[in-house]
Amino acid sequence: MQATHPKFNIVIIGQNNRLQYEALLFAASLRHSSPNFEGRLFVAVPQPGQRWPQDPSIRNEDVLKALRQLDAEILPFDNHVFGNSYPHGNKIEALLALPEGEPFVFFDSDTLITGDLASVPFDFDRPGASQKVEGTWPKPTLYGPGFDGIWSALYHRFELDFESSLDTSQPENYWRRYLYFNAGYFYYSCPRKFGTRFLDFARTIRDGNIPELAGQNLDPWLDQAALPLVVHSFGGGRDTLPPGLLDGSVSCHYRLFPLLYARESDHVIEVLETVVAPNRVKKVLKGYDPIKKLVLQRKGHKIRDLFDRDNLPQREQVIRNTIKNKGLWMR
């Protein structure tokens, strides 16, 4: 008997900048790669207000029309805590506008769906998040506490069990020992519960005068500092999904189009170039230069020819510099 997976919604962020084009590309890739997806696709759009000096909402009618044609639902939401001062906070505040009690998966907009989402065995009662992550935060200072002191202070601040979050197979004071995620995707059974706690934790970390955080930069890492605590508090962790599906065969968090062409598999390139081909999508995506030049005009293949995918430079900065030296970097 075939296992049945619970129906869930997807949410991404869209606003009046590159994200509106990335959101359209995400929607096109979802419909192409996962045609049997039964949930709702929400494009959460921040609304004008005191947290924004300009109107952040999507006002491009061609983008809005193309999103509707792909059965994406525009979900307006208001920023009460973050906004222009910390746009990453959109992924937190948008959750509070989603349907209560309905399982969700959040994806960063700079993601392609490259496989069947129904093949992903989500357990929405045990949240998880992307482990395609580097040790970006915290950065212990010479005289301050180390990883152990910083993370344990946060767990204790929110009355969470620190010891059960540790991967004891990793050395002490090595970043992988501590629960840490990329916020490129995360999921849970209720967006309101998750969003309320995420907002509370993030705001407390930002404003709570936690001594162990002295000298730590929280911009842009605030969401990634709070996310492990939220996931752990709901009984989730690092092993809630089999490896190789999200950030693997089913989704690709490409981040920037030059990096996509440099690093990703032939299958990802094939999905990208297939989903931009229909005229109703292509004519809109021409409005964003990196897609127009690298994808539609195929200059991305010049970047692709610069690298051996089986032997990429270990440091991303080397990849970036190689692309820039050839005059092909754009974002």
Side-chain angles (χ1 to χ4, degrees), residues 58-75:
I58 299 177
R59 302 187 299 280
N60 184 319
E61 288 299 328
D62 291 334
V63 170
L64 292 169
K65 179 182 177 182
L67 285 168
R68 287 193 295 268
Q69 289 173 333
L70 290 162
D71 291 327
E73 301 180 43
I74 301 298
L75 182 72

Side-chain angles (χ1 to χ4, degrees), residues 120-134:
V120 181
F122 292 106
D123 178 353
F124 287 101
D125 292 325
R126 294 190 64 229
S130 172
Q131 295 197 78
K132 188 178 180 182
V133 66
E134 297 175 354

Side-chain angles (χ1 to χ4, degrees), residues 270-311:
E270 181 185 354
V271 169
L272 170 64
E273 295 183 347
T274 299
V275 302
V276 301
N279 193 52
R280 67 181 185 179
V281 175
K282 182 195 302 183
K283 67 182 182 182
V284 181
L285 291 177
K286 281 181 181 175
Y288 182 50
D289 264 0
I291 295 179
K292 178 183 177 181
K293 293 179 178 178
L294 296 180
V295 185
L296 299 175
Q297 295 177 0
R298 298 182 67 82
K299 291 180 181 175
H301 287 271
K302 294 182 178 179
I303 295 174
R304 198 152 182 78
D305 292 342
L306 297 173
F307 300 95
D308 173 4
R309 248 71 55 202
D310 296 323
N311 190 28

